[in-house]
Amino acid sequence: MSFHPMTFSLILACALTGISPVLAQTEPPPRENFNPFGVDNPVLQRARNWARQAAERANGGLSRYRAEASMFGPASQSPYVDNGDGTFTFRFLGGAPAEPPTIESIVTVNPDPSNPMIRIDYNGPIQLAAPPPQPLPEVPPPSNMGSF
């Protein structure tokens, strides 16, 4: 049996450098980590993207407006409510690029391609909910106060 010089050199190089063939994984991943949607739910992801894009258009485009970071990462981590009827409502902040947010957007989306719907429910200044009134603590008068 004769070896071609190139084949012999390749075998010798592998033996000297310790390179060994890579073995394929033979067992499937555990079922408890199984996600039928892969990385993220594609329906929720479509809804989230449509909501963000609607706010971008309503606020002058990407050169004038950026939504908060949660509207870009995994859709399951975005600020949404599943309305139970196939629609999702997103409530998020945004504003001028690289500036603190100044705009709050509330957008309801039906991501079903056969019946798509995007409705901007609110797009304006951030609505701050007033905290409930707190009773003022009683403060005793200073001890150095004389009588009147």
Side-chain angles (χ1 to χ4, degrees), residues 6-131:
M6 185 64 135
T7 306
F8 179 72
S9 298
L10 182 59
I11 292 171
L12 182 60
C14 287
L16 292 175
T17 60
I19 297 175
S20 60
V22 177
L23 300 175
Q25 182 178 359
T26 57
E27 294 184 28
R31 292 297 287 175
E32 69 264 6
N33 294 332
F34 179 72
N35 179 349
F37 296 112
V39 175
D40 210 355
N41 179 330
V43 175
L44 179 59
Q45 190 169 11
R46 179 183 311 121
R48 188 268 325 262
N49 289 344
W50 286 1
R52 186 190 69 241
Q53 292 165 357
E56 290 166 352
R57 281 190 302 275
N59 292 294
L62 287 173
S63 63
R64 303 174 97 192
Y65 174 86
R66 291 285 195 291
E68 66 181 79
S70 66
M71 292 301 288
F72 292 92
S76 57
Q77 295 177 13
S78 62
Y80 75 95
V81 172
D82 183 340
N83 298 320
D85 60 359
T87 66
F88 299 93
T89 299
F90 297 84
R91 182 182 202 141
F92 55 97
L93 304 180
E99 296 290 330
T102 57
I103 299 170
E104 180 177 4
S105 299
I106 302 172
V107 183
T108 300
V109 176
N110 181 355
D112 181 357
S114 65
N115 187 25
M117 182 271 298
I118 303 169
R119 181 183 69 230
I120 297 177
D121 301 311
Y122 177 79
N123 188 59
I126 297 173
Q127 302 173 11
L128 298 176

